[in-house]
Amino acid sequence: MSASDRDRPVRPHQAHAASFTHNADEYAAVRPGYPPAAVDLLVPSDAHDVLDLAAGTGKLTEPLVARGLHVVAVEPADGMREQLTARLPQVEVHAGTAERIPLPDASVDAVTVAQAWHWFDEPAAAAEIARVLRPGGTLGIVWNDRDEDEPWVSAYDALLHEAAGPQLARGTSPTLGNAFTDVLRTDVRWEHVLAPEDLVRLAGTRSYALVLPPDEREALLERVRTLVTTHPDLAGLDRVPVPYVTRVYTARRR
């Protein structure tokens, strides 16, 4: 890194993205995985070689491996890669980004991206993914969104949105360019069961919570804890079913 790089201010987007490397163990412990029906949609039945891009701690990598696929994981954050390697030592793991994927041209049948598309430079990432995909290969992008139709979830998310402040907008559908077919969206509804205190820990894994000053972070988590222990739908529960809508976006390389 040059002196000019060290002196250059870190943009909020970069700071939020970098925050995960310092809290990877919590991320691994309390973030939800992905339901089997969603994983089935992400990767076609005839795929063999799969790149899990921005693989994080391996939340999606693990069910891909369980399907007997040959999976290569690429992840930029050191802490995330450490968790992934400990969890799945048999997986080939590389440091890299969506804009610079350390794989050869036309080397995989499918690319998956879980809960990470908003961190990418979309045009550059789409072009780089098209490069590593074989013709006819599939790009699958997946999001876990809590179902705010549930009143307590709406109240929980309102606390987090208030703490987040102005955020970089996340598109509801990726724009992939002419190298891909039209994007197909499919929703999968399911529940992730957590202990009440894990709902507090879950709030603490959000990037905007990770970059808050310590006193503001503790105040946010205390507000979440109060909600979790006093909301009439949650009070007294020792296990909480958290409703999710998992949104799956798929397209094929032309």
Side-chain angles (χ1 to χ4, degrees):
M1 179 184 292
S2 69
S4 61
D5 287 334
R6 287 193 297 270
D7 295 339
R8 185 179 298 124
V10 176
R11 291 177 294 165
H13 184 76
Q14 293 173 318
H16 283 231
S19 67
F20 291 116
T21 200
H22 305 300
N23 205 52
D25 54 344
E26 280 289 276
Y27 192 108
V30 298
R31 283 288 187 105
Y34 299 92
V39 181
D40 290 343
L41 292 166
L42 287 166
V43 180
S45 59
D46 59 351
H48 178 262
D49 301 309
V50 178
L51 164 62
D52 192 19
L53 182 58
T57 63
K59 291 285 187 179
L60 178 58
T61 318
E62 188 169 29
L64 293 173
V65 170
R67 281 164 166 71
L69 297 163
H70 173 247
V71 183
V72 176
V74 169
E75 166 56 43
D78 295 344
M80 292 288 195
R81 288 197 311 277
E82 290 169 6
Q83 290 286 325
L84 196 161
T85 300
R87 182 178 190 163
L88 299 167
Q90 74 274 35
V91 172
E92 179 183 338
V93 181
H94 297 276
T97 67
E99 299 79 16
R100 289 190 175 184
I101 299 172
L103 294 182
D105 295 356
S107 56
V108 295
D109 302 311
V111 174
T112 59
V113 179
Q115 217 76 13
W117 189 261
H118 60 310
W119 299 119
F120 299 170
D121 176 331
E122 189 170 56
E128 187 69 341
I129 290 167
R131 180 186 68 79
V132 301
L133 274 173
R134 294 169 181 142
T138 297
L139 168 60
I141 299 168
V142 63
W143 290 105
N144 276 331
D145 289 333
R146 286 178 295 275
D147 186 355
E148 292 189 351
D149 288 343
E150 183 73 30
W152 77 259
V153 174
S154 179
Y156 179 93
D157 284 357
L159 288 176
L160 302 188
H161 295 161
E162 179 182 356
Q167 292 286 297
L168 291 170
R170 187 181 93 197
T172 56
S173 180
T175 301
L176 303 178
N178 293 332
F180 290 89
T181 60
D182 291 343
V183 176
L184 173 67
R185 171 178 156 178
T186 309
D187 290 353
V188 177
R189 293 181 178 273
W190 66 295
E191 291 181 341
H192 180 225
V193 179
L194 288 173
E197 184 59 26
D198 286 342
L199 279 171
V200 181
R201 295 170 66 193
L202 178 65
T205 67
R206 310 307 303 188
S207 62
Y208 44 79
L210 293 171
V211 300
L212 285 174
D215 57 339
E216 294 181 27
R217 173 181 165 83
E218 286 307 313
L220 168 63
L221 297 185
E222 190 55 39
R223 290 195 296 273
V224 173
R225 184 174 288 108
T226 298
L227 171 72
V228 169
T229 55
T230 63
H231 193 284
D233 293 341
L234 300 179
L237 295 182
D238 57 2
R239 303 293 288 173
V240 179
V242 185
Y244 277 91
V245 181
T246 295
R247 310 190 192 283
V248 180
Y249 301 92
T250 54
R252 284 191 174 269
R253 190 197 187 289
R254 295 188 190 277

